[in-house]
PDB file of all heavy atoms in Angstrom:
ATOM      1  N   CYS A 274     148.267 -49.376-140.636  1.00 96.00           N
ATOM      2  CA  CYS A 274     146.979 -48.918-141.204  1.00 96.00           C
ATOM      3  C   CYS A 274     146.704 -47.535-140.625  1.00 96.00           C
ATOM      4  O   CYS A 274     145.878 -47.379-139.728  1.00 96.00           O
ATOM      5  CB  CYS A 274     145.854 -49.886-140.857  1.00 96.00           C
ATOM      6  SG  CYS A 274     146.195 -51.624-141.235  1.00 96.00           S
ATOM      7  N   VAL A 343     149.257 -52.311-135.507  1.00 98.00           N
ATOM      8  CA  VAL A 343     148.206 -52.696-136.451  1.00 98.00           C
ATOM      9  C   VAL A 343     146.886 -52.247-135.849  1.00 98.00           C
ATOM     10  O   VAL A 343     146.298 -52.935-135.006  1.00 98.00           O
ATOM     11  CB  VAL A 343     148.199 -54.214-136.728  1.00 98.00           C
ATOM     12  CG1 VAL A 343     147.007 -54.573-137.620  1.00 98.00           C
ATOM     13  CG2 VAL A 343     149.498 -54.652-137.377  1.00 98.00           C
ATOM     14  N   ASP A 344     146.468 -51.047-136.216  1.00 98.00           N
ATOM     15  CA  ASP A 344     145.135 -50.561-135.832  1.00 98.00           C
ATOM     16  C   ASP A 344     144.219 -50.978-136.974  1.00 98.00           C
ATOM     17  O   ASP A 344     144.006 -50.247-137.931  1.00 98.00           O
ATOM     18  CB  ASP A 344     145.159 -49.043-135.655  1.00 98.00           C
ATOM     19  CG  ASP A 344     143.841 -48.505-135.133  1.00 98.00           C
ATOM     20  OD1 ASP A 344     143.312 -49.080-134.170  1.00 98.00           O
ATOM     21  OD2 ASP A 344     143.338 -47.508-135.697  1.00 98.00           O
ATOM     22  N   ALA A 345     143.696 -52.177-136.865  1.00 98.00           N
ATOM     23  CA  ALA A 345     143.128 -52.888-138.011  1.00 98.00           C
ATOM     24  C   ALA A 345     141.788 -52.326-138.474  1.00 98.00           C
ATOM     25  O   ALA A 345     140.995 -51.834-137.666  1.00 98.00           O
ATOM     26  CB  ALA A 345     142.962 -54.363-137.651  1.00 98.00           C
ATOM     27  N   PRO A 346     141.521 -52.426-139.775  1.00 97.00           N
ATOM     28  CA  PRO A 346     140.164 -52.120-140.253  1.00 97.00           C
ATOM     29  C   PRO A 346     139.184 -53.073-139.575  1.00 97.00           C
ATOM     30  O   PRO A 346     139.467 -54.267-139.436  1.00 97.00           O
ATOM     31  CB  PRO A 346     140.257 -52.380-141.765  1.00 97.00           C
ATOM     32  CG  PRO A 346     141.450 -53.261-141.947  1.00 97.00           C
ATOM     33  CD  PRO A 346     142.401 -52.908-140.850  1.00 97.00           C
ATOM     34  N   CYS A 347     138.059 -52.544-139.124  1.00 97.00           N
ATOM     35  CA  CYS A 347     137.139 -53.372-138.336  1.00 97.00           C
ATOM     36  C   CYS A 347     135.711 -52.929-138.557  1.00 97.00           C
ATOM     37  O   CYS A 347     135.440 -51.974-139.288  1.00 97.00           O
ATOM     38  CB  CYS A 347     137.508 -53.308-136.849  1.00 97.00           C
ATOM     39  SG  CYS A 347     137.188 -51.701-136.070  1.00 97.00           S
ATOM     40  N   SER A 348     134.789 -53.590-137.886  1.00 97.00           N
ATOM     41  CA  SER A 348     133.364 -53.273-138.027  1.00 97.00           C
ATOM     42  C   SER A 348     132.993 -51.935-137.407  1.00 97.00           C
ATOM     43  O   SER A 348     131.956 -51.357-137.733  1.00 97.00           O
ATOM     44  CB  SER A 348     132.521 -54.381-137.390  1.00 97.00           C
ATOM     45  OG  SER A 348     132.797 -54.472-135.997  1.00 97.00           O
ATOM     46  N   GLY A 349     133.809 -51.428-136.467  1.00 97.00           N
ATOM     47  CA  GLY A 349     133.511 -50.148-135.828  1.00 97.00           C
ATOM     48  C   GLY A 349     132.379 -50.203-134.821  1.00 97.00           C
ATOM     49  O   GLY A 349     131.848 -49.159-134.418  1.00 97.00           O
ATOM     50  N   LEU A 371     136.113 -59.751-142.279  1.00 96.00           N
ATOM     51  CA  LEU A 371     137.038 -58.830-141.623  1.00 96.00           C
ATOM     52  C   LEU A 371     138.062 -59.583-140.781  1.00 96.00           C
ATOM     53  O   LEU A 371     139.248 -59.227-140.767  1.00 96.00           O
ATOM     54  CB  LEU A 371     136.260 -57.850-140.733  1.00 96.00           C
ATOM     55  CG  LEU A 371     135.628 -56.651-141.429  1.00 96.00           C
ATOM     56  CD1 LEU A 371     134.679 -55.941-140.476  1.00 96.00           C
ATOM     57  CD2 LEU A 371     136.702 -55.685-141.926  1.00 96.00           C
ATOM     58  N   LEU A 374     140.858 -60.773-142.912  1.00 97.00           N
ATOM     59  CA  LEU A 374     141.699 -59.646-143.329  1.00 97.00           C
ATOM     60  C   LEU A 374     142.583 -59.167-142.183  1.00 97.00           C
ATOM     61  O   LEU A 374     143.780 -58.906-142.361  1.00 97.00           O
ATOM     62  CB  LEU A 374     140.806 -58.501-143.824  1.00 97.00           C
ATOM     63  CG  LEU A 374     141.520 -57.188-144.168  1.00 97.00           C
ATOM     64  CD1 LEU A 374     142.491 -57.379-145.322  1.00 97.00           C
ATOM     65  CD2 LEU A 374     140.492 -56.091-144.493  1.00 97.00           C
ATOM     66  N   GLN A 375     141.999 -59.044-140.997  1.00 98.00           N
ATOM     67  CA  GLN A 375     142.751 -58.574-139.834  1.00 98.00           C
ATOM     68  C   GLN A 375     143.924 -59.498-139.522  1.00 98.00           C
ATOM     69  O   GLN A 375     145.045 -59.037-139.241  1.00 98.00           O
ATOM     70  CB  GLN A 375     141.808 -58.467-138.627  1.00 98.00           C
ATOM     71  CG  GLN A 375     140.790 -57.352-138.766  1.00 98.00           C
ATOM     72  CD  GLN A 375     139.524 -57.585-137.955  1.00 98.00           C
ATOM     73  OE1 GLN A 375     139.268 -58.684-137.455  1.00 98.00           O
ATOM     74  NE2 GLN A 375     138.691 -56.557-137.832  1.00 98.00           N
ATOM     75  N   ILE A 378     146.707 -59.038-142.150  1.00 97.00           N
ATOM     76  CA  ILE A 378     147.472 -57.807-141.929  1.00 97.00           C
ATOM     77  C   ILE A 378     148.430 -57.973-140.760  1.00 97.00           C
ATOM     78  O   ILE A 378     149.604 -57.586-140.825  1.00 97.00           O
ATOM     79  CB  ILE A 378     146.528 -56.615-141.689  1.00 97.00           C
ATOM     80  CG1 ILE A 378     145.748 -56.293-142.967  1.00 97.00           C
ATOM     81  CG2 ILE A 378     147.311 -55.387-141.215  1.00 97.00           C
ATOM     82  CD1 ILE A 378     144.683 -55.229-142.786  1.00 97.00           C
ATOM     83  N   TYR A 394     148.091 -54.717-131.476  1.00 98.00           N
ATOM     84  CA  TYR A 394     146.925 -54.884-132.336  1.00 98.00           C
ATOM     85  C   TYR A 394     145.752 -54.200-131.655  1.00 98.00           C
ATOM     86  O   TYR A 394     145.501 -54.425-130.459  1.00 98.00           O
ATOM     87  CB  TYR A 394     146.626 -56.375-132.532  1.00 98.00           C
ATOM     88  CG  TYR A 394     145.351 -56.666-133.290  1.00 98.00           C
ATOM     89  CD1 TYR A 394     145.329 -56.664-134.682  1.00 98.00           C
ATOM     90  CD2 TYR A 394     144.161 -56.951-132.611  1.00 98.00           C
ATOM     91  CE1 TYR A 394     144.159 -56.947-135.384  1.00 98.00           C
ATOM     92  CE2 TYR A 394     142.990 -57.228-133.301  1.00 98.00           C
ATOM     93  CZ  TYR A 394     142.998 -57.225-134.692  1.00 98.00           C
ATOM     94  OH  TYR A 394     141.842 -57.488-135.373  1.00 98.00           O
ATOM     95  N   SER A 395     145.033 -53.357-132.401  1.00 98.00           N
ATOM     96  CA  SER A 395     143.892 -52.656-131.802  1.00 98.00           C
ATOM     97  C   SER A 395     142.750 -52.553-132.799  1.00 98.00           C
ATOM     98  O   SER A 395     142.946 -52.556-134.017  1.00 98.00           O
ATOM     99  CB  SER A 395     144.299 -51.251-131.338  1.00 98.00           C
ATOM    100  OG  SER A 395     144.706 -50.444-132.432  1.00 98.00           O
ATOM    101  N   THR A 396     141.541 -52.460-132.246  1.00 98.00           N
ATOM    102  CA  THR A 396     140.340 -52.230-133.053  1.00 98.00           C
ATOM    103  C   THR A 396     139.387 -51.344-132.257  1.00 98.00           C
ATOM    104  O   THR A 396     139.469 -51.275-131.026  1.00 98.00           O
ATOM    105  CB  THR A 396     139.587 -53.528-133.398  1.00 98.00           C
ATOM    106  OG1 THR A 396     138.985 -54.049-132.206  1.00 98.00           O
ATOM    107  CG2 THR A 396     140.503 -54.574-134.022  1.00 98.00           C
ATOM    108  N   GLU A 403     136.676 -60.348-133.976  1.00 98.00           N
ATOM    109  CA  GLU A 403     137.669 -59.422-134.528  1.00 98.00           C
ATOM    110  C   GLU A 403     138.792 -59.115-133.537  1.00 98.00           C
ATOM    111  O   GLU A 403     139.766 -58.454-133.907  1.00 98.00           O
ATOM    112  CB  GLU A 403     136.991 -58.112-134.923  1.00 98.00           C
ATOM    113  CG  GLU A 403     135.881 -58.254-135.946  1.00 98.00           C
ATOM    114  CD  GLU A 403     135.245 -56.927-136.268  1.00 98.00           C
ATOM    115  OE1 GLU A 403     135.865 -56.134-137.000  1.00 98.00           O
ATOM    116  OE2 GLU A 403     134.128 -56.666-135.758  1.00 98.00           O
TER     117      GLU A 403
END
Side-chain angles (χ1 to χ4, degrees):
C274 309
V343 175
D344 185 47
C347 69
S348 62
L371 279 169
L374 174 63
Q375 291 155 347
I378 293 174
Y394 174 84
S395 63
T396 70
E403 301 179 76

